[in-house]
Amino acid sequence: MELQTIGRSLPRVDGIEKVTGRANYTDDFKASRMLFAKILRSPYPHAMVLGIDASRARKLAGVKAVLTGADVPDEKLGISVRDRFILARDVVRFVGEPVAAVAADTVDTAEEALDLIEVDYKELPAIFDVEEAMKSDPAVAVHEGATSYVFSPGPQFYGFDRQRPNVFAHYQMGAGDTEKGMREADLIVENRFVTPRIHHGAMEPHAAIAQVEFNGGLTVWVADQVAHHETRAELCRVFGLPPSKLRVIVPYIGGGFGGKTNSAWPAPVAMLLALKTGRPVRLVFSREEVFVDGLTEVPMVLYIKDGVKKDGTLVAREMRVILNSGAYSNRIPRMTANMSFGAAGLYRMPYFRWDSFCVMTNEPPSGPMRGYGGTPLNFAIESQMDMIARELGIDPAELRQKHIFKEGEKNLVGGVTECIGAAESLTRVSKWIEERKTIPPEKGPWRSGTGVAVVGKIFRSGGPAAALVKVHDDGTVEVRHSASESGQGCNTVMAQVAAEEFGISMDGVKVVFSDSAVTPYDVGSIASRSTWNTGHAVRLACQDAKRQIFRLAAQRLKVPAESLEIKGGRIYVRENAPQGIQVHDLFVRDGLLTPGTWLLEAGEILGSGVYAGASGRPGDEKQQRLSGAVFAYGAVAVSVAVNVETGEVRVLKAASGHDMGQPINPRMCEAQMDGGVGMGVGAALYETMAIENGVTINPNLVDYKLPTMVEVPVGEDAASMLVTTPLHKDGPYGAKGFGESTNCPVAPAIANAVYDAVGVRIKSLPITREKILEGLSK
Amino acid sequence: MELQTIGRSLPRVDGIEKVTGRANYTDDFKASRMLFAKILRSPYPHAMVLGIDASRARKLAGVKAVLTGADVPDEKLGISVRDRFILARDVVRFVGEPVAAVAADTVDTAEEALDLIEVDYKELPAIFDVEEAMKSDPAVAVHEGATSYVFSPGPQFYGFDRQRPNVFAHYQMGAGDTEKGMREADLIVENRFVTPRIHHGAMEPHAAIAQVEFNGGLTVWVADQVAHHETRAELCRVFGLPPSKLRVIVPYIGGGFGGKTNSAWPAPVAMLLALKTGRPVRLVFSREEVFVDGLTEVPMVLYIKDGVKKDGTLVAREMRVILNSGAYSNRIPRMTANMSFGAAGLYRMPYFRWDSFCVMTNEPPSGPMRGYGGTPLNFAIESQMDMIARELGIDPAELRQKHIFKEGEKNLVGGVTECIGAAESLTRVSKWIEERKTIPPEKGPWRSGTGVAVVGKIFRSGGPAAALVKVHDDGTVEVRHSASESGQGCNTVMAQVAAEEFGISMDGVKVVFSDSAVTPYDVGSIASRSTWNTGHAVRLACQDAKRQIFRLAAQRLKVPAESLEIKGGRIYVRENAPQGIQVHDLFVRDGLLTPGTWLLEAGEILGSGVYAGASGRPGDEKQQRLSGAVFAYGAVAVSVAVNVETGEVRVLKAASGHDMGQPINPRMCEAQMDGGVGMGVGAALYETMAIENGVTINPNLVDYKLPTMVEVPVGEDAASMLVTTPLHKDGPYGAKGFGESTNCPVAPAIANAVYDAVGVRIKSLPITREKILEGLSK
């Protein structure tokens, strides 16, 4: 059947509400008698908390509660490793760690109270250098007695590295004996790359409102990408609440990008204060707090050593990747494994070895950021590929094409390559840039160059999702899912799925926001998974609802249910279209003079769907490491101009090409690429959190430099290309997820273009003027 | 199987939250940028609105919108007859009719703005006497051109009385030729009774908050007994909204008693202002507004003419009942029919005739009040029965016993008498009072007496109800229904049903408040129907959820689903109890290190149930007038003291006995009776809205006299008796509804006791000192 709605660039279902300022975010909700919270944070990167005197703060008029580490649950927060109290107890481990929290009648009063809390600290030596920290005898163990932490590794983790006290996860994988491979090579290329701590730059700060319910339960409004799944479960565990007693509502989210995937945020503090005061409590982070405790991209050191034949054939690769987790582990243990798939899923080579480490330091906690390590990884690999090509005098694009996996080929972790559009993406973006290549402005200080980079990014196709679809008596199809619309457009995608299944326009679909009291289970808005997983579940729920409709209609029409179709709110006999009935007419009119309608036979038409991923039951011991994992592939090409006098880099043109199987909404796919380029330009040229002795000295959007529309190529200077073939055989309508891969190759493409322009190879991000001038001076 | 939870006096599920002041009512909700509304009301009982100048009000700082009749939908409000604009257009018909509405930043500003609106009225003659108004050539036609109103009568209505312009409904029914019956009688007893307009006295005033949603829809929080059913449908019709675009949420309701069953309340005005301003709007009535526009008990004139044999046998009865609907019809057309069932369902007699009229006057609009006409009706019939007994020298209780229908007997409208406990109720309350009879204090001015009255009240067993039951992964059973907890305790009843079905304690059940986005269709909290209808639906939904659980458990246990039972969260094999599994274990743990659980096979365990009533499809032409109708029966006996010098009446003792089949919660059944006596004492002795030329002169709780604990017998002076046999064969667990019948017989029992004490027959309510002194002086 030809697709009607899927594949069309329909307007976003939330577009009007957002551009008119009427969308409600967590911060916009008000509750009766609501209090406002603020957090007192550690000024030291590492210190003992000897005592806290909050008596003056407690006496301040308007202050309703002051809590410290003594008031928090004994259970610690942590996704993989449980290592963090809601408020610090005894020890603080980074500048910005919460030490006390205040709830007061106004924000001003809460802030005033913070100044009245006296904390007696004893400073401890701190450690910031991740390579120093990962030694077996580091100067500082960030978490003394770390053996007491609960660590529940899945099959992909080797668990604690007991020899190195700051290493919280060590993941190894590989294919073949790389040492043998190196011996077979003609050339060894070995490099060290460094990437910084960067900020997601989401417009909305982290925010939560907690309200105590009379049954002892709590309702929490929270800006959270995984509220229904991990956050709710995590909060239940830490607070000792059964799941039915914690309702989690996710209003509009003003950008996530991985930064809103952690429960160590406002929610638990707001919950504690709400439980203490019995009143609703709102806690909204300041921008500074988002910088220091809102999770930031993991700074990494990436060693890469390749053995290559003279013709460019890659024989062996060894990677050693050190992830600076900051003071707490959050999702970084998991990332050590996840990143390896990106390293192993794109290029063919006989020998491969991966070692990655999650290492604690006294920096602010790291977290996922769009790509889940993809930008650092791609920067290292794609810079390295360029260096090999240059070394051997091979065209960089050609070297890549030579190694990109073919459809059906086994990748380096034993998964089968499916639906790969990397080669086509690379061809198309290279051609686009070539055709627009700037004639080198050799007059003056500007030099121009071009660069490319390719990406293969795993997305999570196995995380379970459930959906409900209610059909109203006016024919409206209501979709209930919990993927959480974080701005990426998943509600529009789900509406398109429902519109497609029912043969109706988007006006006839209503998508409900994630609310654990209404919408069913979903992992959430991470890992580029919503379209695939939640999309599948919504489609199944639609089909279930249609079965119910057909059963009801079959009774009325006196035909078999199997003979029926539905379109535009009308059910009809497939072979005899004039015979039909409106959805509306399935609902009985109450005979008692009232205009209300209801459904006699069924109460409601409520279809349900659940999708567990191609791999079946998650956690199944027998599953392959990569089963249930699907890759999105793409390429970016850029042209740049570099000023040899000032070191300034301008990105002149950028082309993105990515595969997504069947695009559900082509314009939204392009928007993912447009945004990915913007984010990538920032990571490449401008963004870094400046941390001195643990203190973030630029925690604001004045001193921290995000690119603006001036720095990012747009309009005629940019192209976003949809590589739509082949469709993915297992995806909904052949679609797959790809949002996260769009930004990852941008920084290496720019680095490669800079080299092309001025012959300077930059191996650490961002590519600052100083680094270029320094390179030129050599 | 023996009942575990049903039949136990368990604490109310909302008790703690209410007594601790934490329950949120509509007024407690806050929304971002919320505005506050006030209504300008007519000072005239009947006038033309020649013009409105709101320009000064609109200019007042803080005023966001001023609306008048020109701004309201052309569709009129009305349950049976559509006769009222949201804001008056051209004509006002009662003192207090809304003429304009203001939304402003604060309540004070909104009130100030009202003073700045200038309305140019031209007074018209008004009519207040209901018997004058029902004439064929009345001095005033309250609704000129009434033929334009849409009237959709059901089978029980004869429709418009075109000969009499103020008669909006005329209902006739009967059995046999009463004129013939009168000729067969030895004695004709003919009387005229009058009852006043009284106020429900609910603690919470009418309130609504309306919020515009970006999709063009609206969300309305409203204190409303029929929000999901009539109010939502009515508002959709008037505003031209499809049902999916109007979400109706019902928080706690602070008392309904029938007064919160009308859409002509704050909701539509708040909706209009929200649509105009784009901001949430809250409208809470003042107490005065609740009096004049919150619906009040229908004032009635009741003519009753009986033909009786010398031995007391009733041969024929003719009743002619005139209902003063006030200026708009609301639910009064329907009441003309509904009341007749009460007149025809209790006492055997060969000939019966009923005529009732809904008549418009220029008084405030009338509405349902606990019993739906039951107090006026019972006052007339039970006073009449006493007068016949006295006339013939028969014991009043004995005369009643002689005529009460026996189990299985056909009543006067052809329904079969089922589960009748009237005779036992009367015996028990009479005995209780007799044993505590006050020795006449003949010294001094006080005289004592006793009186009884019996009631047979139809309750609605046919109104459809649907319910959903979700079983959480911690085993908690969540009940979703839309009956609306108005204080009567239906949420506790539903929790007891769910606890019973799952074999768990009440702690394990969570009842969700009515919210059309979550909870399924239900007629609402009226007509004593919740326990029967919604109780049935909840029970069916529990059984559906259990089937799903058994199907899942059967796969795990490898036994047939039919062999399974559930109790205390554990599913086990009926014949082999040690073989079992916890509900919790049906949920799969996600393998990816997270503590979240989910249900692989089903997404959610979500059972649904729907109950349409014994009569099958509502509106079915073939149904009997009374099919689907079930009666609750009961009796009240009181002793009073009357001061022959001052006319003061004190109710010394009161006994209530009512049948309810299986009591779900005996203490809550007693509480219904306790409250019924309190309300009945008020109606008997104190309450009347004093209206002079259409102006309510006592619209507040200082001047309008509600009885307090001093006036109502409590403790040892009162008894509430549960008549529990027989069970009702069709009710859930044998239960039936009865809340509304408890107050109806109180006023006639008191009137009869007053006659017993001092020989004065009062035929109009309330029984004031003046009336008694006047009677004594004759």
Side-chain angles (χ1 to χ4, degrees):
Chain A
M1 210 165 174
E2 206 172 321
L3 296 173
Q4 300 296 321
T5 308
I6 300 295
R8 289 179 57 200
S9 292
L10 299 167
R12 290 178 64 115
V13 294
D14 51 5
I16 292 169
E17 198 174 21
K18 284 190 166 178
V19 299
T20 56
R22 288 166 61 194
N24 274 323
Y25 296 80
T26 298
D27 187 23
D28 291 316
F29 284 80
K30 290 184 180 170
S32 189
R33 304 174 70 234
M34 189 160 74
L35 300 174
F36 300 86
K38 279 284 165 187
I39 291 175
L40 182 70
R41 297 177 178 277
S42 166
Y44 300 110
H46 201 191
M48 289 175 67
V49 179
L50 300 179
I52 303 180
D53 181 358
S55 56
R56 285 173 62 213
R58 289 199 176 95
K59 280 179 199 146
L60 184 66
V63 170
K64 302 300 177 193
V66 182
L67 301 180
T68 69
D71 304 305
V72 306
D74 293 335
E75 277 286 310
K76 292 173 182 171
L77 294 164
I79 303 297
S80 302
V81 182
R82 295 169 188 171
D83 56 10
R84 179 169 173 178
F85 290 113
I86 297 174
L87 299 170
R89 270 192 195 167
D90 308 333
V91 180
V92 288
R93 296 183 172 87
F94 70 98
V95 176
E97 179 158 4
V99 173
V102 175
D105 287 340
T106 67
V107 173
D108 285 348
T109 304
E111 281 177 347
E112 195 182 337
L114 295 187
D115 292 337
L116 301 176
I117 301 171
E118 286 159 35
V119 186
D120 185 10
Y121 292 105
K122 184 190 168 195
E123 273 195 84
L124 296 171
I127 193 160
F128 306 111
D129 185 293
V130 71
E131 291 184 277
E132 286 297 321
M134 78 176 287
K135 288 179 177 166
S136 58
D137 56 344
V140 173
V142 177
H143 291 261
E144 284 288 356
T147 47
S148 69
Y149 301 135
V150 176
F151 186 29
S152 40
Q156 63 266 63
F157 293 111
Y158 291 105
F160 252 130
D161 189 331
R162 296 191 184 275
Q163 270 61 57
R164 289 177 284 196
N166 288 320
V167 174
F168 269 43
H170 175 195
Y171 180 70
Q172 289 182 307
M173 58 89 79
D177 179 355
T178 49
E179 284 178 27
K180 180 164 171 284
M182 294 295 172
R183 288 192 298 270
E184 293 171 10
D186 298 323
L187 176 75
I188 302 294
V189 180
E190 195 165 2
N191 281 295
R192 176 179 182 268
F193 297 91
V194 178
T195 57
R197 184 176 297 283
I198 66 177
H199 173 70
H200 301 81
M203 289 176 72
E204 184 199 22
H206 301 313
I209 298 173
Q211 178 172 292
V212 178
E213 304 298 342
F214 86 104
N215 60 5
L218 286 141
T219 298
V220 177
W221 289 258
V222 64
D224 193 309
Q225 297 172 241
V226 291
H228 202 299
H229 171 62
E230 288 188 349
T231 302
R232 182 158 170 255
E234 178 80 342
L235 294 173
C236 282
R237 176 180 64 74
V238 170
F239 281 83
L241 285 169
S244 64
K245 298 245 169 171
L246 181 61
R247 177 179 183 181
V248 177
I249 299 172
V250 185
Y252 273 110
I253 298 177
F257 309 113
K260 289 185 178 132
T261 57
N262 183 357
S263 52
W265 288 335
V269 175
M271 286 167 70
L272 272 180
L273 289 166
L275 286 167
K276 178 79 175 176
T277 60
R279 289 169 63 172
V281 174
R282 180 165 78 181
L283 177 53
V284 179
F285 276 10
S286 66
R287 179 59 60 179
E288 177 168 354
E289 287 178 298
V290 177
F291 266 92
V292 300
D293 196 20
L295 300 184
T296 37
E297 172 72 291
V298 193
M300 296 192 200
V301 178
L302 305 101
Y303 291 92
I304 181 165
K305 177 182 175 184
D306 289 345
V308 196
K309 292 277 190 194
K310 275 180 191 154
D311 67 353
T313 306
L314 266 167
V315 184
R317 172 168 288 170
E318 289 178 355
M319 292 192 74
R320 181 174 162 85
V321 179
I322 302 155
L323 290 78
N324 181 345
S325 184
Y328 293 98
S329 61
N330 192 263
R331 286 168 183 272
I332 313 309
R334 233 186 247 187
M335 195 192 283
T336 57
N338 196 291
M339 278 179 76
S340 74
F341 303 141
L346 182 61
Y347 294 134
R348 185 186 315 105
M349 62 193 79
Y351 304 104
F352 178 72
R353 182 181 161 83
W354 171 275
D355 265 274
S356 56
F357 303 87
C358 164
V359 182
M360 296 286 144
T361 65
N362 292 111
E363 285 200 355
S366 309
M369 181 169 181
R370 197 176 184 181
Y372 208 31
T375 290
L377 182 73
N378 257 57
F379 176 64
I381 292 176
E382 293 299 293
S383 293
Q384 174 86 351
M385 292 299 277
D386 229 62
M387 291 165 84
I388 293 168
R390 301 272 175 183
E391 177 95 19
L392 296 173
I394 301 171
D395 175 73
E398 200 179 296
L399 180 73
R400 290 174 170 88
Q401 292 283 19
K402 183 181 167 86
H403 290 93
I404 289 171
F405 281 121
K406 304 285 185 221
E407 191 75 15
E409 206 176 344
K410 272 207 174 178
N411 62 27
L412 300 181
V413 281
V416 175
T417 302
E418 288 174 336
C419 184
I420 185 166
E424 184 185 338
S425 299
L426 178 57
T427 302
R428 286 173 62 185
V429 298
S430 300
K431 180 163 179 281
W432 190 92
I433 281 289
E434 188 61 30
E435 289 168 359
R436 289 160 184 77
K437 203 167 175 174
T438 313
I439 294 153
E442 296 297 342
K443 277 184 269 178
W446 291 98
R447 306 287 178 270
S448 69
T450 63
V452 297
V454 186
V455 63
K457 164 79 183 74
I458 197 176
F459 70 86
R460 191 171 174 194
S461 65
L468 292 169
V469 166
K470 174 175 171 172
V471 181
H472 287 258
D473 50 357
D474 56 15
T476 298
V477 176
E478 178 181 314
V479 177
R480 300 178 183 170
H481 74 87
S482 303
S484 299
E485 171 63 75
S486 61
Q488 87 280 42
C490 70
N491 280 0
T492 303
V493 167
M494 302 316 148
Q496 286 190 255
V497 170
E500 183 68 45
E501 290 299 315
F502 282 89
I504 55 178
S505 72
M506 296 283 274
D507 290 346
V509 182
K510 175 174 164 180
V511 183
V512 171
F513 275 73
S514 174
D515 174 351
S516 62
V518 180
T519 57
Y521 185 92
D522 197 290
V523 164
S525 220
I526 54 168
S528 305
R529 63 175 287 288
S530 308
T531 294
W532 182 291
N533 294 273
T534 314
H536 261 307
V538 169
R539 192 181 189 190
L540 292 168
C542 288
Q543 290 168 354
D544 186 34
K546 286 200 291 187
R547 270 193 299 276
Q548 297 175 28
I549 287 172
F550 292 157
R551 195 168 57 235
L552 291 166
Q555 292 166 18
R556 306 288 177 93
L557 296 172
K558 307 201 187 315
V559 297
E562 303 72 43
S563 69
L564 295 172
E565 286 288 352
I566 187 167
K567 186 167 184 179
R570 182 171 175 274
I571 307 125
Y572 61 93
V573 179
R574 198 179 297 108
E575 309 292 330
N576 178 28
Q579 191 185 357
I581 183 172
Q582 297 289 326
V583 167
H584 179 75
D585 293 328
L586 299 176
F587 291 80
V588 175
R589 263 178 202 280
D590 185 325
L592 296 171
L593 303 190
T594 55
T597 59
W598 67 292
L599 193 66
L600 182 67
E601 296 88 347
E604 291 196 314
I605 295 170
L606 190 63
S608 73
V610 58
Y611 179 78
S615 63
R617 198 148 165 172
D620 189 329
E621 293 301 324
K622 284 172 284 185
Q623 75 180 345
Q624 291 294 312
R625 276 183 298 194
L626 262 186
S627 90
V630 186
F631 281 76
Y633 306 91
V636 167
V638 298
S639 66
V640 303
V642 183
N643 185 315
V644 294
E645 290 175 2
T646 64
E648 185 185 350
V649 177
R650 289 189 188 159
V651 183
L652 304 175
K653 313 242 182 228
S656 275
H658 291 271
D659 56 16
M660 70 295 291
Q662 168 66 53
I664 303 292
N665 186 312
R667 177 64 202 113
M668 279 170 45
C669 293
E670 290 170 3
Q672 282 285 359
M673 296 187 221
D674 298 345
V677 167
M679 214 164 203
V681 167
L685 300 178
Y686 309 110
E687 298 186 46
T688 184
M689 277 168 64
I691 300 178
E692 290 183 1
N693 292 319
V695 180
T696 305
I697 59 171
N698 60 344
N700 58 70
L701 297 181
V702 175
D703 298 317
Y704 181 92
K705 299 298 182 193
L706 287 171
T708 68
M709 293 301 269
V710 175
E711 286 84 24
V712 179
V714 291
E716 289 188 359
D717 295 328
S720 292
M721 301 168 183
L722 279 62
V723 177
T724 60
T725 51
L727 300 186
H728 198 295
K729 67 177 172 35
D730 297 326
Y733 313 97
K736 56 181 193 175
F738 85 107
E740 283 179 301
S741 46
T742 57
N743 55 312
C744 303
V746 178
I750 292 172
N752 294 337
V754 166
Y755 183 86
D756 187 49
V758 295
V760 174
R761 175 58 61 183
I762 306 295
K763 293 195 277 185
S764 70
L765 292 179
I767 303 167
T768 60
R769 298 180 187 198
E770 293 76 8
K771 290 178 190 172
I772 288 184
L773 292 178
E774 191 195 336
L776 286 169
S777 71
K778 277 179 188 164
Chain B
M1 211 164 175
E2 205 172 324
L3 296 172
Q4 300 294 321
T5 308
I6 300 294
R8 290 179 56 201
S9 292
L10 298 167
R12 289 177 65 113
V13 295
D14 51 6
I16 291 169
E17 197 173 20
K18 283 190 166 181
V19 299
T20 56
R22 289 167 58 195
N24 275 325
Y25 297 80
T26 298
D27 187 23
D28 292 316
F29 284 80
K30 290 183 182 172
S32 190
R33 302 175 70 236
M34 189 160 73
L35 300 175
F36 300 86
K38 279 283 163 188
I39 291 176
L40 182 70
R41 295 175 179 277
S42 165
Y44 300 111
H46 200 190
M48 289 176 68
V49 179
L50 300 178
I52 302 179
D53 181 359
S55 55
R56 286 173 61 213
R58 289 200 174 93
K59 282 179 197 145
L60 183 66
V63 169
K64 302 299 177 193
V66 182
L67 301 180
T68 69
D71 305 304
V72 306
D74 293 334
E75 276 287 310
K76 292 173 183 170
L77 295 165
I79 302 296
S80 303
V81 182
R82 296 169 188 170
D83 56 10
R84 182 170 171 177
F85 289 114
I86 296 174
L87 299 171
R89 270 193 196 167
D90 308 330
V91 180
V92 289
R93 296 184 173 86
F94 69 97
V95 175
E97 178 157 5
V99 172
V102 175
D105 286 340
T106 67
V107 173
D108 286 348
T109 305
E111 281 178 347
E112 196 183 335
L114 295 187
D115 291 338
L116 301 176
I117 301 171
E118 285 158 38
V119 185
D120 185 10
Y121 292 104
K122 184 189 168 197
E123 272 194 85
L124 297 171
I127 193 160
F128 307 111
D129 185 293
V130 72
E131 291 183 278
E132 287 297 321
M134 78 177 286
K135 288 179 178 167
S136 58
D137 56 345
V140 174
V142 178
H143 293 260
E144 285 288 355
T147 48
S148 68
Y149 301 135
V150 175
F151 185 28
S152 40
Q156 64 265 63
F157 292 110
Y158 290 107
F160 250 130
D161 189 332
R162 297 191 184 275
Q163 268 61 56
R164 289 176 285 198
N166 288 319
V167 173
F168 269 43
H170 175 195
Y171 181 70
Q172 288 182 305
M173 58 91 77
D177 178 355
T178 49
E179 284 177 29
K180 179 165 171 284
M182 294 296 171
R183 289 194 296 270
E184 292 171 12
D186 298 324
L187 177 75
I188 303 292
V189 181
E190 196 166 1
N191 281 295
R192 175 179 183 267
F193 297 91
V194 178
T195 59
R197 183 176 297 283
I198 67 178
H199 174 70
H200 300 82
M203 289 175 73
E204 183 199 23
H206 301 313
I209 298 173
Q211 178 173 292
V212 178
E213 303 299 341
F214 86 103
N215 59 6
L218 287 141
T219 298
V220 177
W221 289 257
V222 64
D224 193 311
Q225 297 171 242
V226 291
H228 201 299
H229 171 61
E230 288 187 348
T231 302
R232 182 158 169 256
E234 178 79 342
L235 294 172
C236 282
R237 176 181 62 76
V238 170
F239 282 82
L241 285 169
S244 63
K245 298 246 170 170
L246 181 62
R247 177 180 183 182
V248 177
I249 299 173
V250 184
Y252 273 110
I253 299 177
F257 309 112
K260 288 182 177 133
T261 56
N262 184 358
S263 51
W265 287 335
V269 176
M271 286 167 70
L272 273 180
L273 289 166
L275 286 167
K276 179 78 177 176
T277 60
R279 290 170 62 173
V281 174
R282 180 165 76 180
L283 177 53
V284 180
F285 275 9
S286 66
R287 179 60 60 179
E288 177 168 352
E289 288 178 297
V290 177
F291 266 91
V292 300
D293 197 20
L295 300 185
T296 36
E297 173 72 291
V298 193
M300 296 192 200
V301 178
L302 305 101
Y303 291 91
I304 181 166
K305 178 180 173 184
D306 289 346
V308 197
K309 291 277 190 193
K310 277 179 191 154
D311 66 354
T313 306
L314 268 167
V315 183
R317 171 168 289 172
E318 288 177 355
M319 292 190 75
R320 180 175 163 86
V321 180
I322 303 155
L323 291 77
N324 181 344
S325 184
Y328 293 98
S329 61
N330 192 261
R331 287 169 183 271
I332 313 309
R334 233 185 246 186
M335 195 191 281
T336 57
N338 196 291
M339 279 180 75
S340 74
F341 303 140
L346 181 61
Y347 293 134
R348 187 186 314 105
M349 62 193 81
Y351 305 104
F352 178 73
R353 181 180 162 83
W354 172 274
D355 265 274
S356 55
F357 303 85
C358 164
V359 181
M360 297 284 144
T361 65
N362 293 110
E363 285 200 353
S366 309
M369 181 169 182
R370 197 175 185 181
Y372 207 31
T375 290
L377 182 73
N378 257 56
F379 176 64
I381 292 177
E382 292 299 293
S383 295
Q384 174 86 351
M385 291 298 278
D386 228 60
M387 291 164 84
I388 294 168
R390 300 272 173 183
E391 178 94 17
L392 296 173
I394 301 171
D395 176 72
E398 200 178 296
L399 180 72
R400 290 174 170 88
Q401 292 284 17
K402 184 184 167 82
H403 290 93
I404 290 171
F405 282 121
K406 305 286 183 218
E407 191 77 16
E409 207 174 343
K410 273 207 173 173
N411 62 27
L412 299 182
V413 280
V416 175
T417 303
E418 286 174 336
C419 186
I420 184 164
E424 184 185 337
S425 298
L426 178 57
T427 302
R428 285 173 62 185
V429 298
S430 300
K431 181 162 178 283
W432 190 90
I433 281 289
E434 188 61 31
E435 288 169 0
R436 286 160 186 78
K437 201 166 175 174
T438 312
I439 295 154
E442 296 299 340
K443 276 184 270 177
W446 291 97
R447 306 287 178 271
S448 70
T450 63
V452 298
V454 186
V455 64
K457 164 80 183 74
I458 198 175
F459 71 86
R460 190 172 174 192
S461 64
L468 292 169
V469 165
K470 174 176 171 171
V471 181
H472 287 257
D473 51 357
D474 57 15
T476 298
V477 176
E478 177 180 314
V479 178
R480 299 178 184 170
H481 74 87
S482 304
S484 299
E485 171 64 75
S486 61
Q488 87 280 43
C490 71
N491 280 1
T492 303
V493 167
M494 301 316 147
Q496 286 189 255
V497 169
E500 182 70 45
E501 290 299 315
F502 281 89
I504 55 178
S505 72
M506 295 283 274
D507 291 347
V509 182
K510 176 173 164 181
V511 184
V512 171
F513 275 73
S514 174
D515 174 351
S516 64
V518 179
T519 57
Y521 185 92
D522 197 288
V523 163
S525 222
I526 54 167
S528 305
R529 62 174 289 287
S530 308
T531 294
W532 180 292
N533 294 274
T534 314
H536 262 306
V538 170
R539 192 181 190 190
L540 291 167
C542 289
Q543 290 167 355
D544 186 34
K546 287 200 289 186
R547 271 194 298 276
Q548 296 175 28
I549 288 173
F550 292 156
R551 194 168 60 235
L552 292 167
Q555 293 167 16
R556 306 288 175 92
L557 296 172
K558 305 197 190 315
V559 297
E562 304 71 44
S563 69
L564 295 172
E565 287 286 352
I566 187 166
K567 187 169 183 178
R570 182 170 175 274
I571 307 124
Y572 61 93
V573 179
R574 200 180 296 107
E575 309 292 329
N576 178 26
Q579 191 186 355
I581 184 172
Q582 296 290 325
V583 167
H584 180 75
D585 294 327
L586 298 176
F587 290 80
V588 176
R589 261 176 203 283
D590 183 327
L592 296 170
L593 305 188
T594 55
T597 58
W598 65 293
L599 193 66
L600 183 66
E601 296 88 345
E604 291 197 312
I605 294 170
L606 189 64
S608 74
V610 59
Y611 179 78
S615 64
R617 196 150 168 172
D620 190 327
E621 292 301 322
K622 283 173 285 185
Q623 75 180 344
Q624 290 296 310
R625 275 184 298 193
L626 262 185
S627 90
V630 186
F631 281 77
Y633 306 91
V636 166
V638 299
S639 66
V640 303
V642 183
N643 186 315
V644 294
E645 290 175 2
T646 64
E648 185 185 351
V649 177
R650 290 187 188 159
V651 182
L652 305 175
K653 315 247 181 222
S656 276
H658 291 271
D659 55 16
M660 71 295 292
Q662 168 66 54
I664 303 291
N665 185 311
R667 178 63 202 113
M668 279 171 43
C669 293
E670 289 170 1
Q672 283 284 359
M673 296 187 223
D674 299 346
V677 167
M679 215 164 204
V681 167
L685 300 179
Y686 308 111
E687 298 185 46
T688 185
M689 278 170 63
I691 300 178
E692 290 182 1
N693 291 320
V695 180
T696 304
I697 61 173
N698 60 345
N700 58 70
L701 297 181
V702 175
D703 298 316
Y704 181 92
K705 300 298 181 192
L706 286 171
T708 69
M709 293 302 268
V710 174
E711 286 85 24
V712 179
V714 292
E716 289 187 358
D717 294 329
S720 292
M721 301 168 184
L722 279 62
V723 176
T724 61
T725 51
L727 301 186
H728 198 293
K729 67 176 174 33
D730 297 324
Y733 313 99
K736 56 180 193 176
F738 85 108
E740 283 180 299
S741 45
T742 57
N743 55 311
C744 303
V746 177
I750 292 171
N752 294 337
V754 166
Y755 183 85
D756 188 48
V758 296
V760 173
R761 174 59 59 185
I762 307 293
K763 292 194 276 185
S764 70
L765 291 178
I767 303 167
T768 59
R769 298 181 189 197
E770 292 76 9
K771 291 177 189 172
I772 289 184
L773 291 178
E774 192 195 336
L776 285 169
S777 71
K778 278 179 187 167

